[in-house]
């Protein structure tokens, strides 16, 4: 009897010791809002605003010349840390619809929406089950608790997710502007065929990288969906959470160690994030620094003026750095 009582007292402690820490909750997927036709004057086109250059490019492909499109972020701007301008607020306040990536990518979104009244907001990533932002598993007590359960917003780097964007955009535009539903459907179908060919091309290209080299170190953790789809591993990032959160000296030291340990041949920097730390890490480890277009298209003349350009550019850069 006494033994049994002791066991009862110890049981919770024993269980706690055996049970692994609870995994963070699955991040929630975005949901499409219910939309009804937007009232407009005769000959007035649907006024559409998109946040990032990448969302804007895909919306432009589905909307074609049936919509009047404004894109808020200029090429090269970082969506995580962007601050909207007064002109942005005016454009959103006058819009029939605002297309966003969602999943927390646009750090400015909530604040901006408080200042513009009622505009329907369509997260193009609706219905995509987001992956969890990676965390350093051996950080222990210094773990950033705010990252728990947070979604990785960079869904577009898996081309198949942009097929889902296209369908969400088509649905939203058709609900707001049923008169042009056939045009939106035809534009979406044509673009979908290009995206399917693009996805097949990526699979073909990445096959040239030997499996032992398929390790990605980036400035911020942007290639998770890319890695999952195309058979790579995102092993580390200079800014492990987001470009808004500066890494500590200890985190940088751990990163340098990881690069040496994994024998990673290159570090990838993103055009939207200050490359200073990545340059230092590349120098300290003697590996190449290669720039990718991840969170934004390039400006006019950059050769990366569309989403399809962006994927082609990045895949060529990754394959030649790692093959
Ligand atoms: Zn990003």
């Amino acid at each position: 009897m006494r033994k049994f009582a002791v066991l009862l007292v110890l049981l919770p402690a024993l269980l706690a010791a055996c049970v692994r820490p609870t995994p963070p909750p699955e991040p929630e997927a975005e949901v499409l809002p219910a939309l009804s036709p937007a009232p407009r004057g005769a000959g007035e086109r649907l006024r559409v605003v998109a946040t990032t250059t990448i969302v804007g490019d895909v919306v432009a492909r589905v909307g074609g010349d049936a919509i009047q499109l404004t894109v808020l972020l200029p090429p090269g701007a970082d969506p995580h840390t962007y601050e909207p301008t007064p002109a942005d607020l005016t454009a959103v306040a006058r819009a029939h619809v605002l297309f966003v990536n969602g999943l927390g990518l646009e750090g400015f979104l909530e604040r901006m929406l408080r200042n513009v009244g009622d505009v329907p907001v369509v997260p193009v990533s609706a219905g995509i089950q987001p992956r969890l932002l990676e965390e350093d598993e051996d950080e222990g007590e210094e773990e950033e608790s705010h990252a728990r359960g947070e979604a990785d917003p960079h869904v577009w780097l898996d081309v198949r997710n942009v097929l889902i964007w296209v369908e969400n955009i088509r649905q939203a535009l058709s609900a707001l502007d049923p008169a042009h539903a056939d045009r939106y459907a035809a534009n979406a179908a044509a673009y979908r065929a290009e995206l399917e060919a693009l996805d097949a091309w990526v699979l073909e290209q990445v096959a040239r990288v030997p499996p032992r080299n398929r390790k990605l170190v980036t400035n911020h953790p942007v290639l998770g969906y890319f890695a999952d789809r195309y058979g790579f591993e995102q092993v580390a990032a200079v800014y492990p959470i987001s470009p808004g959160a500066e890494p500590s000296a200890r985190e940088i030291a751990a990163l340098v160690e990881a690069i040496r340990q994994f024998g990673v041949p290159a570090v990838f920097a993103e055009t939207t994030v200050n490359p200073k730390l990545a340059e230092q890490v590349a120098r300290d480890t003697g590996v190449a620094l290669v720039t990718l277009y991840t969170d934004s298209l390039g400006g006019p003349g950059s050769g990366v003026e569309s989403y399809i350009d962006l994927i082609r550019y990045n895949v060529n850069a990754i394959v030649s750095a790692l093959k």
Side-chain angles (χ1 to χ4, degrees):
M1 184 63 200
R2 192 141 156 249
K3 230 190 223 161
F4 184 59
V6 169
L7 190 61
L8 274 184
V9 171
L10 287 180
L11 201 58
L14 283 172
L15 278 176
C18 301
V19 174
R20 314 190 81 210
T22 347
E26 282 263 284
E28 271 177 49
E30 295 280 3
V31 177
L32 280 189
L35 297 167
S36 45
R40 332 194 278 290
E44 196 190 341
R45 285 186 299 168
L46 196 70
R47 283 190 301 279
V48 177
V49 174
T51 52
T52 73
T53 51
I54 299 166
V55 173
D57 179 56
V58 179
V59 169
R61 290 299 306 263
V62 180
D65 51 18
I67 63 169
Q68 186 193 319
L69 176 64
T70 305
V71 179
L72 299 185
L73 272 72
D78 176 12
H80 302 278
T81 56
Y82 182 71
E83 289 295 337
T85 65
D88 291 342
L89 298 184
T90 308
V92 175
R94 294 185 62 242
H96 294 116
V97 61
L98 170 65
F99 284 101
V100 305
N101 176 79
L103 301 174
L105 176 76
E106 296 97 340
F108 58 91
L109 190 61
E110 270 179 45
R111 244 173 312 130
M112 183 179 78
L113 290 176
R114 265 183 256 136
N115 294 312
V116 292
D118 270 339
V119 57
V121 178
V122 175
V124 294
S125 304
I128 296 171
Q129 177 53 53
R131 59 192 296 287
L132 207 60
L133 266 182
E134 309 275 1
E135 277 184 275
D136 249 338
E137 277 161 25
D138 45 28
E139 284 292 294
E141 69 289 349
E142 282 183 33
E143 233 166 67
E144 296 278 338
S145 59
H146 71 268
R148 286 193 169 275
E150 254 177 49
D152 177 348
H154 305 96
V155 295
W156 61 91
L157 293 156
D158 172 346
V159 175
R160 290 172 315 167
N161 286 336
V162 176
L163 292 168
I164 297 174
W165 283 19
V166 168
E167 178 52 21
N168 287 336
I169 294 164
R170 185 202 64 76
Q171 267 187 41
L173 291 177
S174 308
L176 291 157
D177 179 19
H180 291 111
D182 289 351
R183 293 247 302 266
Y184 300 136
N187 293 345
Y191 189 42
R192 200 174 296 131
E194 289 181 47
L195 293 175
E196 275 160 3
L198 179 68
D199 184 56
W201 176 83
V202 178
L203 289 168
E204 219 174 85
Q205 294 305 306
V206 297
R208 295 160 58 205
V209 179
R212 66 170 187 286
N213 285 359
R214 295 180 169 212
K215 298 192 176 69
L216 301 166
V217 175
T218 50
N219 215 337
H220 79 299
V222 71
L223 293 177
Y225 296 90
F226 178 89
D228 289 353
R229 169 62 175 156
Y230 301 112
F232 288 75
E233 196 191 340
Q234 184 173 249
V235 290
V238 178
Y239 296 81
I241 304 293
S242 108
E246 286 287 321
S248 64
R250 199 170 142 251
E251 285 170 320
I252 295 287
L255 171 66
V256 166
E257 186 49 40
I259 292 171
R260 294 201 170 119
Q261 183 197 327
F262 289 117
V264 173
V267 170
F268 297 100
E270 302 89 78
T271 57
T272 47
V273 181
N274 186 335
K276 227 182 97 209
L277 278 172
E279 278 164 8
Q280 183 203 318
V281 166
R283 246 195 333 267
D284 290 355
T285 50
V287 305
L289 183 73
V290 178
T291 301
L292 302 178
Y293 289 85
T294 58
D295 293 32
S296 174
L297 302 178
S302 63
V304 183
E305 288 150 63
S306 72
Y307 168 71
I308 290 180
D309 290 345
L310 173 145
I311 293 291
R312 286 185 163 272
Y313 181 95
N314 290 341
V315 168
N316 284 330
I318 289 170
V319 169
S320 45
L322 303 184
K323 76 167 191 237

